[in-house]
């Protein structure tokens, strides 16, 4: 992972997100791109007659503020040891990140941004989600791979190899296989071909699949959970819940790597 894309805002979760991205770049001899976004459409409004108008003064102030923030980031990183660039955008955040991620190896977000689920769907790039005030150590001491034999978990496993290669311990955790999924042993074999020795854990079900995985990761002291995103449709996830939604909204896992 040498091309690292970071969503840059002025929120309280930005420092941990930035430091995680920089640590990832240092570990891989990589480059960091920060996206500072000013969504222009948020300054458009409708009048009672059905017309639209642009709040030009407010928009100009927002553009000036974000330009200044981009300059602040440039000054902050200029004396550091990681090559970087700062990209300005005027699109909606998901669109801005989707466009910028086409030649990125990973997108770094925080839970607090609330963008992770949409970005995981919109991008064909893995999304690394860190806790709002917690930097993910690179390499992680303990990483877990959520495995169900499906296409999404296989994609996540492939994408995670650069993050898993130097971890102290890697665990593959399963609850139950899909009827036509690949057995968990295949995940171990795939990792071994990349020089990664992993341990297999077939977890006894405790409530839902997501609750079982979350408890297993907690018991293993996992700092990172690798998992596929949205194996079912977004509508089904919204109506009935699901593993991805649970881990984005409820589970206390230090960091997630999602792939769709």
């Amino acid at each position: 992972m040498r091309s690292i894309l970071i969503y840059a805002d002025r929120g309280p979760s930005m420092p941990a997100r930035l430091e995680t991205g920089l640590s990832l770049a240092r570990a891989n001899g990589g480059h960091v791109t920060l996206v500072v976004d000013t969504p222009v459409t948020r300054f458009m409004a409708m009048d009672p007659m059905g017309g639209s108008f642009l709040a030009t003064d407010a928009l100009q102030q927002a553009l000036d503020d974000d330009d200044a923030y981009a300059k602040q980031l440039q000054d902050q990183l200029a004396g550091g040891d990681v090559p970087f660039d700062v990209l300005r955008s005027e699109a909606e955040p998901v669109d801005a990140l989707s466009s910028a991620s086409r030649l990125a190896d990973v997108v770094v977000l925080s839970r607090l941004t609330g963008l992770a689920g949409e970005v995981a769907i919109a991008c064909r790039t893995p999304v690394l989600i860190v806790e709002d005030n917690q930097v993910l150590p690179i390499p992680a001491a303990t990483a877990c791979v959520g495995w169900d034999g499906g296409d999404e978990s296989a994609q996540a496993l492939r994408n995670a190899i650069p993050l898993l290669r130097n971890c102290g311990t890697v665990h593959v955790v399963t609850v139950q296989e899909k009827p036509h999924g690949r057995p968990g042993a295949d995940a171990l074999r795939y990792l071994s071909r990349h020089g990664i020795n992993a341990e297999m854990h077939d977890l006894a079900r405790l409530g839902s699949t997501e609750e079982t995985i979350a408890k297993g990761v907690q018991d293993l002291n996992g700092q990172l959970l690798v998992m596929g995103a949205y194996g079912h449709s977004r509508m089904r996830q919204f109506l009935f819940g699901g593993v991805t939604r649970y881990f984005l909204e409820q589970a206390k896992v230090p960091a997630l790597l999602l792939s769709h």
Side-chain angles (χ1 to χ4, degrees), residues 77-147:
L77 299 179
D81 57 350
V82 174
F84 73 95
D85 66 318
V86 179
L87 177 66
R88 290 285 282 116
S89 175
E90 296 178 6
E92 287 295 313
V94 173
D95 293 333
L97 290 169
S98 179
S99 176
S101 71
R102 288 178 295 177
L103 289 177
D105 298 321
V106 66
V107 180
V108 183
L109 294 172
S110 305
R111 291 179 188 274
L112 193 59
T113 63
L115 298 172
E118 295 293 336
V119 172
I121 290 292
C123 299
R124 292 297 177 259
T125 305
V127 179
L128 179 62
I129 304 139
V130 297
E131 281 293 337
D132 300 329
N133 59 356
Q134 188 171 343
V135 177
L136 173 66
I138 306 293
T142 305
C144 297
V145 177
W147 181 258

Side-chain angles (χ1 to χ4, degrees), residues 23-45:
S23 297
L24 189 56
R26 292 186 188 103
N28 294 280
H31 179 282
V32 162
T33 297
L34 296 100
V35 176
V36 178
D37 188 38
T38 313
V40 172
T41 56
R42 298 185 183 183
F43 296 88
M44 298 185 69

Side-chain angles (χ1 to χ4, degrees), residues 67-78:
D67 285 343
Y69 180 56
K71 178 63 164 57
Q72 176 187 329
L73 290 172
Q74 289 174 332
D75 293 342
Q76 176 184 342
L77 299 179

Side-chain angles (χ1 to χ4, degrees), residues 235-248:
M235 180 57 69
R236 181 174 173 184
Q237 290 259 352
F238 177 76
L239 292 174
F240 302 108
V243 176
T244 308
R245 183 178 174 189
Y246 177 84
F247 278 100
L248 287 175

Side-chain angles (χ1 to χ4, degrees), residues 179-225:
H180 304 293
R182 295 168 65 81
D186 282 357
L188 297 183
R189 281 193 290 268
Y190 178 78
L191 288 168
S192 71
R193 291 167 188 156
H194 288 272
I196 300 169
N197 294 318
E199 301 176 16
M200 190 74 190
H201 301 266
D202 192 9
L203 303 176
R205 181 174 293 276
L206 301 170
S208 66
T209 296
E210 51 269 31
E211 291 169 334
T212 304
I213 294 173
K215 180 65 164 57
V217 172
Q218 183 180 32
D219 290 345
L220 292 167
N221 297 314
Q223 296 174 310
L224 170 68
L225 172 61

